[in-house]
Amino acid sequence: MPDLLVEHHGVQVLVCDADGAPIATEQDALDQLVGAAFQGAELIAVPAGRFDDSFYDLSSGVAGAILQKLANYRLRLAVVGDISHHLRASAALPDLVREANRGRDVWFVADLDELAARLGTRP
């Protein structure tokens, strides 16, 4: 399935293909995700498996760089899928996920249904 632009509760969401290229660096995110802003997307839903393991290792700085870059382009991010093995391997990642899910710019969700539900309950 190619990337697909859909609308959920008035929010334009670019749903990224699970089989797309891996995202391992800030440049990968720029190359693969920032174009969404020019397609009219407000939020990018990226399958968790597209991110390299370094994204989930907060000490690498990859997640911080990617999240900052998306914020610069006023793009919201939803990491979609099971990241439980990354959560078990990190002391800091569970805190990031918990705090991110309290906000509105970055969410970690189990699936697209959960994302659509969250968009429906957010102002």
Side-chain angles (χ1 to χ4, degrees):
M1 168 182 98
D3 294 351
L4 183 64
L5 189 62
V6 298
E7 182 179 325
H8 289 293
H9 304 284
V11 177
Q12 293 294 317
V13 178
L14 181 69
V15 178
C16 295
D17 183 3
D19 293 327
I23 301 167
T25 66
E26 181 181 356
Q27 188 61 50
D28 291 343
L30 280 172
D31 293 345
Q32 298 175 48
L33 304 179
V34 170
F38 302 105
Q39 295 178 32
E42 300 170 51
L43 187 146
I44 306 168
V46 180
R50 291 270 306 268
F51 287 106
D52 184 79
D53 287 346
S54 62
F55 178 83
Y56 301 103
D57 175 5
L58 300 184
S59 67
S60 74
V62 172
I66 289 173
L67 297 178
Q68 182 60 54
K69 190 57 69 176
L70 294 176
N72 291 347
Y73 283 91
R74 294 185 169 85
L75 287 168
R76 297 163 61 192
L77 174 68
V79 178
V80 181
D82 181 15
I83 62 165
S84 58
H85 62 287
H86 294 293
L87 292 169
R88 286 190 300 270
S90 171
L93 184 60
D95 293 334
L96 172 71
V97 169
R98 187 173 34 261
E99 288 302 314
N101 283 343
R102 288 182 182 156
R104 69 173 304 274
D105 295 323
V106 179
W107 291 336
F108 293 81
V109 296
D111 54 36
L112 292 174
D113 291 336
E114 181 181 346
L115 175 60
R118 288 199 70 170
L119 288 169
T121 61
R122 293 287 176 162

